[in-house]
Amino acid sequence: MMRLPPFTYLAPRRAEEAARLLAEHGASAMVVAGGTDLYPNMKRRQFEPKVLVGLRGIGELGAIAGSAREGLRIGAGVTLTRLAQHPDVATHYPALARAAGVVSTPQLRNMGTLGGNVCVDTRCNYYNQSYEWRKSIGFCMKKDGDICLVAPASRRCWAVSSSDTAPVLWSLGAELTLLGPKGDRRIPVAALYRDDGIEYLGKAPDEIVTDIHLRAVDGWRATYWKLRRRGAFDFPVLGAAVAVRLEGDVCRDARIVLGAVASTPREVPDAARALVGERLTPEAIQRAADLAAGPSKPLDNTDLVYHYRKKMTRVYVARALRELAGLPIEGLRPAGMSARDIEERS
Ligand SMILES: Cc1cc2nc3c(=O)[nH]c(=O)nc-3n(C[C@H](O)[C@H](O)[C@H](O)COP(=O)(O)OP(=O)(O)OC[C@H]3O[C@@H](n4cnc5c(N)ncnc54)[C@H](O)[C@@H]3O)c2cc1C
Ligand code: SF4
């Protein structure tokens, strides 16, 4: 059995206090929210913080305020279960409700938070292993070593961004508030991510995410399709988050963001631009889906064969767009969507 290493747990009651404690303890400290990703990672010695600053006792991080008309503010401590079931989210931001509802298992969604999901560590077959496993093949540069075992000639780490909610939030044009010892700042979700498997977050280590801000719905419709081996609890090996703003049946704006194909969620603007000014016909959808597959460059470091995941980008983006257009969808349904849902939309 893998055991947690010893650590000191601090339980601040206010977000400012959490930021101050993080700054005070520097590199030896980390934030923990639900702990569903961090604790297993600590058991495998991927992280060895001496101090954990727990966010669970901070009531203000659990709020959901606002409306679809003016935009929603969601506290980083809101659990994925609550998010998926919240009436305003489920009705007006169904892509986010779906993404939250297909993260791992019900137990983990009851504990796991939105803040933890947007900050979740990148993943790789050579890294998400026990300490002994990693030691036996030689450590890699993400922890304890100095080379990449997937691409030995590479000077960077290619671990995969594996959050389900991040591509959806990006496609919705969401923003988030970061709080650090010097105060807070608001940034687009897109600015939180860097295409680097190790330094994958563009925030200071002593900044915490306090709130996620969803824009007013304003005619946008969005959906999320997730590819994984087992529908019951696996991480995504491909995510397709698609948002369109329709006037009648003409697409006036679009955003398409892929998950799990790089160390960051990957926006594919050329594919989105190809839809603007077009009716969402099967032909226009296929053109956009073909363009989306180009920048999708999964590597051979997570589940399922990487060229299959690349091929499925085209299929999943097309299915997502067909769902938004109300066209029949052939083949598998997206995780979290029942056959009846699809029939009702078709
Ligand atoms: C078996 C299994 C299956 C999983 N499947 C999926 C899946 O399908 N999809 C998916 O997206 N995830 C999956 N996860 C990962 C995880 O359960 C979720 O991402 C969850 O939402 C993480 O939230 P948490 O609150 O538990 O984060 P924690 O584990 O507490 O933290 C995760 C990371 O985020 C940081 N962090 C947490 N909150 C904040 C904050 N407010 N500000 C700044 N940093 C913060 C922590 O320091 C840590 O680095 C899975 C995990 C397991 C063990
Ligand atoms: S991509 Fe390379 S450096 Fe990064 S975790 Fe995998 S093996 Fe390690």
Side-chain angles (χ1 to χ4, degrees), residues 74-341:
I74 304 170
V78 168
T79 65
L80 297 168
T81 299
R82 189 164 156 236
L83 186 64
Q85 293 173 357
H86 190 276
D88 283 339
V89 179
T91 307
H92 302 292
Y93 304 92
L96 182 59
R98 186 188 288 173
V102 296
V103 170
S104 59
T105 63
Q107 291 90 337
L108 270 65
R109 292 195 293 274
N110 289 343
M111 291 297 293
T113 63
L114 181 59
N117 194 247
V118 296
C119 294
V120 74
D121 194 17
T122 53
R123 295 180 62 78
C124 170
N125 285 343
Y126 294 91
Y127 166 72
N128 293 97
Q129 303 289 351
S130 69
Y131 178 84
E132 287 71 24
W133 192 101
R134 292 187 288 118
K135 187 177 173 191
S136 71
I137 60 157
F139 296 112
C140 78
M141 69 170 87
K142 187 153 160 73
K143 183 71 170 81
D144 299 323
D146 50 17
I147 61 157
C148 173
L149 298 169
V150 178
S154 171
R155 295 165 70 89
R156 58 158 284 191
C157 165
W158 298 87
V160 180
S161 170
S162 302
S163 162
D164 279 305
T165 62
V168 172
L169 291 170
W170 185 326
S171 74
L172 294 174
E175 297 185 340
L176 47 82
T177 301
L178 294 171
L179 176 70
K182 293 188 190 130
D184 61 11
R185 62 191 177 113
R186 191 161 152 167
I187 60 167
V189 164
L192 182 66
Y193 298 104
R194 301 174 45 172
D195 194 8
D196 182 309
I198 298 172
E199 302 292 341
Y200 61 96
L201 291 179
K203 72 170 190 65
D206 56 9
E207 284 182 309
I208 57 174
V209 179
T210 56
D211 294 288
I212 289 87
H213 308 271
L214 301 181
R215 289 181 183 181
V217 171
D218 195 23
W220 282 85
R221 298 173 60 188
T223 187
Y224 178 64
W225 280 64
K226 170 176 180 173
L227 176 68
R228 55 180 163 176
R229 187 181 292 269
R230 296 164 296 187
F233 78 103
D234 279 330
F235 278 88
V237 290
L238 168 67
V242 177
V244 292
R245 190 165 63 78
L246 299 176
E247 264 175 32
D249 58 356
V250 176
C251 176
R252 292 295 173 205
D253 208 348
R255 281 188 223 105
I256 302 177
V257 184
L258 306 174
V261 298
S263 299
T264 171
R266 171 135 295 158
E267 185 166 14
V268 284
D270 288 351
R273 260 194 301 275
L275 295 167
V276 176
E278 301 285 330
R279 289 174 54 235
L280 290 188
T281 59
E283 295 72 27
I285 287 173
Q286 202 49 57
R287 270 197 306 277
D290 290 346
L291 285 167
S296 170
K297 297 204 166 70
L299 278 183
D300 195 11
N301 60 348
T302 185
D303 196 13
L304 300 183
V305 183
Y306 68 96
H307 38 83
Y308 169 73
R309 288 161 54 212
K310 182 172 173 71
K311 276 189 183 166
M312 288 303 283
T313 308
R314 181 178 284 118
V315 176
Y316 268 42
V317 169
R319 285 180 182 166
L321 281 165
R322 291 181 76 93
E323 182 196 341
L324 292 174
L327 293 168
I329 305 161
E330 287 153 20
L332 294 170
R333 61 180 187 256
M337 192 176 183
S338 69
R340 184 193 282 175
D341 285 337

